[in-house]
Amino acid sequence: MDKDTSERRVVVGVDGSPSSYEALRWAVRYAGLVGGTVDAVAVWELPGLYGWSAPAVDVDVDEDETRQKMGRELTDVLGADTADSVRTHVVHGNPAEVLLRAAEGAEVLVVGSRGRGGFARALLGSVSQHVSQHASCPVVIVRSEKQ
């Protein structure tokens, strides 16, 4: 990701969960207040890809699907005009590590409190907990009202 230090970048993780949508809305509002830009990051990984019995799949198919789904979700959540102002990044890898790298030099990293997995009663998801402890910039963790 472009890490131009002259701009105020707001990095937000988007995974399709209600709390990530709230985080996206928060990031856009905050960027508007500080005159910053928003980098929305979606991370995808294939379960089992790193084990000895990795599935025979076309890795590009999942990236293309993720990119298309992210575009639709941004438009649904923000509206077409606002979605067009958000820079999108679809990255393969471990979600917490990808977000930490993306947030280097950022004004703030914004994540939802819980992602798509995990336990419904958990206060924080594993990704939000990890980035809150290891990020090189401030981290904002946003809860969804639906939780």
Side-chain angles (χ1 to χ4, degrees), residues 19-20 22-23 26 108-115 123-133 138-144 147:
S19 65
S20 80
E22 291 300 324
W26 193 97
V108 65
L109 170 61
V110 187
V111 293
S113 60
R114 280 193 319 102
L123 178 62
L124 289 179
S126 60
V127 173
S128 57
Q129 184 172 12
H130 185 84
V131 300
S132 71
Q133 295 172 351
V139 176
V140 173
I141 301 173
V142 181
R143 286 183 56 98
S144 168
Q147 292 181 344

Side-chain angles (χ1 to χ4, degrees), residues 10 14 26 34-35 41 57 59 69 87-88 99-100 104 132 140:
V10 177
V14 180
W26 193 97
V34 299
V41 180
V57 296
V59 175
K69 184 176 180 186
R87 296 185 297 207
T88 60
L99 289 171
L100 289 172
E104 291 174 4
S132 71
V140 173

Side-chain angles (χ1 to χ4, degrees), residues 5 13-14 17 23 29 54 64-66 72 94 96:
T5 57
V14 180
S17 66
R29 285 191 305 270
D64 292 340
E65 288 176 14
T66 302
R72 288 190 304 271
N94 174 280

